[in-house]
C-alpha cells in the first residue's frame, strides 16, 4: 500500500470540510439562478453556492495549480505549475441538481489530474465523490484502492482553521460485488439507439432497476450492489449527456479501481482524448462482464 499523496489528502480534506456547509445550504437554494452553465444547462442557486465554496476551498490547497468546474467556462489559475508538482482539480459541484426540487440524492464529483486540463483520465491521480443521501458519504479512490467515509458536521471538532467535520472510514477496500444486482440507464427510451435498446431489454430481464436521476447516486448503487450504470449515446445526441473531465473520468477511475470497467461504447473512458473541459461522452460503467457485453452489443 503506497503512502497517501499529501496534496490528494488535502484536496479531500477540503472537499469533506465543505460537505456539511453545502448540505446545510441546499434547502434555501432550490431555485433557478437565471443563468446557464457552459454546457447550456440552467443553473440552480445550489449549483452556484457549491461551486463558489469549493472554488475557494480547493484553490487554497497547496499543490492545486488549476481549478475546473462544470459551472465555469475556463480553468481558474490557482498558482503552481500543473504537471510539474501541482495538480489540476476538476469538479462537478452539485451533480444531479435537478433532484434538489424532488429531494432526492445528489452529490459533488472530484477528479485530481497530474496534467493541465483538458486531459485524459489516465492523468488522474485520484478521484472521488460526496453523496448527499440519507447519510453524507465520501468515496475516495487513488492508486491504493477505494475507500468510503461517513462525513458529519461536528461542532465539537475543529477550530478556526479546520472546519467542524468528523470523518469515519466505513470501508477501506471497496470492491464491486462479483454478482451484479442493479442497473440504471439514463435518457429517454425512445431516444436510445436500437442496439442499446436491445441490450437494455436483456439487462431488464436479469437485474433490478435502480435509476434516481443523479449519476453519483446511481453509480453508488452499482458500487454497493454490483451492476451497470449508463448514460448512453442517444439518437440525437451521439455524445450522450455527461461531461468527461468532471463526471465520466472520475467515475471511471473509481469503478476501475474497485474492479469494474468503464467505456464510451468503443474506448475505455480513461483513454478518451478530449478537446475541451466540457466535452460530453457516453458513459457505460460497472461490472466488467456487463460492460464487455455492452461493447459487443454496440459493435
Ligand atoms: P448535473 O446536475 O451535474 O447537470 O448532472 C446531471 C446528470 C447526471 O447526474 C445524471 O445522471 C443525468 O444528468 C440525469 O439526466 P436526465 O435528467 O436526462 O435523466
Ligand atoms: Mn453532473
Ligand atoms: Mn452539476
Amino acid at each position: 500500500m503506497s503512502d497517501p499523496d499529501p496534496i490528494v489528502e488535502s484536496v479531500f480534506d477540503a472537499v469533506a470540510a465543505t460537505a456539511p456547509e453545502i448540505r446545510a445550504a441546499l434547502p434555501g437554494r432550490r431555485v433557478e439562478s437565471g443563468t446557464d452553465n457552459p454546457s447550456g444547462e440552467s443553473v440552480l442557486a445550489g449549483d452556484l453556492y457549491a461551486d463558489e465554496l469549493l472554488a475557494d476551498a480547493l484553490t487554497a490547497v497547496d499543490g492545486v495549480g488549476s481549478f475546473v468546474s462544470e459551472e465555469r467556462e475556463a480553468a481558474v489559475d490557482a498558482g503552481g505549475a500543473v504537471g510539474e508538482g501541482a495538480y489540476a482539480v476538476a469538479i462537478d459541484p452539485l451533480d444531479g441538481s435537478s433532484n434538489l426540487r424532488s429531494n432526492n440524492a445528489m452529490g459533488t464529483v472530484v477528479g485530481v489530474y497530474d496534467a493541465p486540463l483538458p486531459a485524459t483520465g489516465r492523468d488522474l491521480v485520484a478521484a472521488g465523490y460526496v453523496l448527499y443521501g440519507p447519510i453524507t458519504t465520501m468515496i475516495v479512490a487513488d492508486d491504493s484502492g477505494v475507500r468510503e467515509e461517513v462525513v458529519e458536521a461536528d461542532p465539537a471538532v475543529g477550530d478556526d482553521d479546520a472546519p467542524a467535520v468528523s470523518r469515519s472510514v466505513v470501508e477501506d477496500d471497496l470492491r464491486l460485488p462479483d454478482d451484479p444486482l442493479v442497473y440504471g440507464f439514463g435518457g429517454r427510451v425512445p431516444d436510445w439507439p436500437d442496439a442499446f435498446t436491445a441490450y437494455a431489454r436483456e439487462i431488464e430481464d436479469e437485474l433490478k432497476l435502480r435509476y434516481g436521476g443523479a449519476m453519483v447516486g446511481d453509480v453508488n448503487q452499482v458500487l454497493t450492489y454490483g451492476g451497470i450504470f449508463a448514460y448512453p449515446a442517444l439518437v440525437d445526441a451521439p455524445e450522450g449527456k455527461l461531461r468527461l473531465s468532471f463526471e465520466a473520468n472520475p467515475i471511471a477511475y473509481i469503478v476501475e479501481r474497485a474492479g469494474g470497467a468503464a467505456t464510451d461504447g468503443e474506448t475505455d473512458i480513461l483513454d478518451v482524448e478530449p478537446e475541451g473541459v466540457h466535452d460530453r461522452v457516453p458513459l457505460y460503467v460497472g461490472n466488467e462482464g456487463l460492460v464487455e457485453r455492452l461493447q459487443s452489443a454496440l459493435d
Side-chain angles (χ1 to χ4, degrees):
M1 180 86 81
S2 58
D3 292 337
D5 178 319
I7 304 174
V8 167
E9 290 307 292
S10 300
V11 164
F12 286 97
D13 288 349
V15 171
T18 60
E21 292 174 78
I22 291 173
R23 187 172 190 121
L26 293 178
R29 289 176 174 80
R30 304 169 81 181
V31 295
E32 298 281 343
S33 68
T35 60
D36 286 354
N37 67 16
S39 298
E41 291 161 346
S42 68
V43 174
L44 296 186
D47 291 310
L48 293 182
Y49 180 84
D51 174 66
E52 288 293 333
L53 206 65
L54 286 157
D56 291 347
L58 291 169
T59 52
V61 170
D62 276 346
V64 171
S66 172
F67 172 82
V68 160
S69 167
E70 172 187 293
E71 310 310 343
R72 298 169 188 243
E73 189 64 50
V76 174
D77 181 4
V82 176
E84 296 161 37
Y87 292 149
V89 175
I91 70 161
D92 179 353
L94 204 54
D95 174 65
S97 53
S98 60
N99 277 352
L100 196 43
R101 279 182 57 200
S102 61
N103 191 27
N104 280 280
M106 67 199 84
T108 296
V109 190
V110 183
V112 185
Y113 294 81
D114 187 10
L117 297 178
T120 75
R122 297 297 172 198
D123 286 314
L124 281 165
V125 294
Y129 58 78
V130 174
L131 175 55
Y132 300 107
I135 302 167
T136 302
T137 53
M138 182 167 74
I139 295 288
V140 181
D142 59 19
D143 57 10
S144 63
V146 185
R147 70 175 187 264
E148 179 181 27
E149 301 180 14
V150 170
V151 179
E152 296 174 274
D154 187 345
V157 169
D159 53 35
D160 296 347
D161 299 330
V165 63
S166 70
R167 299 161 59 182
S168 45
V169 176
V170 292
E171 177 56 68
D172 63 5
D173 183 21
L174 188 59
R175 304 284 298 171
L176 268 175
D178 292 334
D179 297 330
L181 186 61
V182 300
Y183 75 95
F185 297 152
R188 292 167 43 79
V189 176
D191 299 338
W192 291 347
D194 292 345
F196 181 73
T197 303
Y199 173 79
R201 292 288 172 264
E202 282 179 26
I203 297 298
E204 286 164 356
D205 285 345
E206 298 169 24
L207 305 179
K208 294 169 50 169
L209 173 60
R210 290 290 185 276
Y211 187 78
M215 176 190 68
V216 289
D218 295 329
V219 166
N220 210 58
Q221 291 265 18
V222 168
L223 268 179
T224 307
Y225 296 114
I228 184 161
F229 167 79
Y231 203 103
L234 303 176
V235 171
D236 295 335
E239 296 310 310
K241 175 178 183 182
L242 301 176
R243 283 57 51 109
L244 180 71
S245 300
F246 41 78
E247 288 173 313
N249 266 343
I251 292 304
Y253 180 92
I254 293 163
V255 173
E256 278 203 6
R257 262 144 200 77
T263 179
D264 69 355
E266 291 168 9
T267 310
D268 283 4
I269 287 286
L270 299 181
D271 290 324
V272 173
E273 299 267 357
E275 289 169 15
V277 294
H278 296 283
D279 284 13
R280 297 179 192 270
V281 66
L283 174 63
Y284 312 88
V285 60
N287 286 72
E288 263 187 319
L290 295 172
V291 171
E292 285 163 1
R293 276 172 59 186
L294 176 277
Q295 286 177 303
S296 308
L298 298 189
D299 273 349

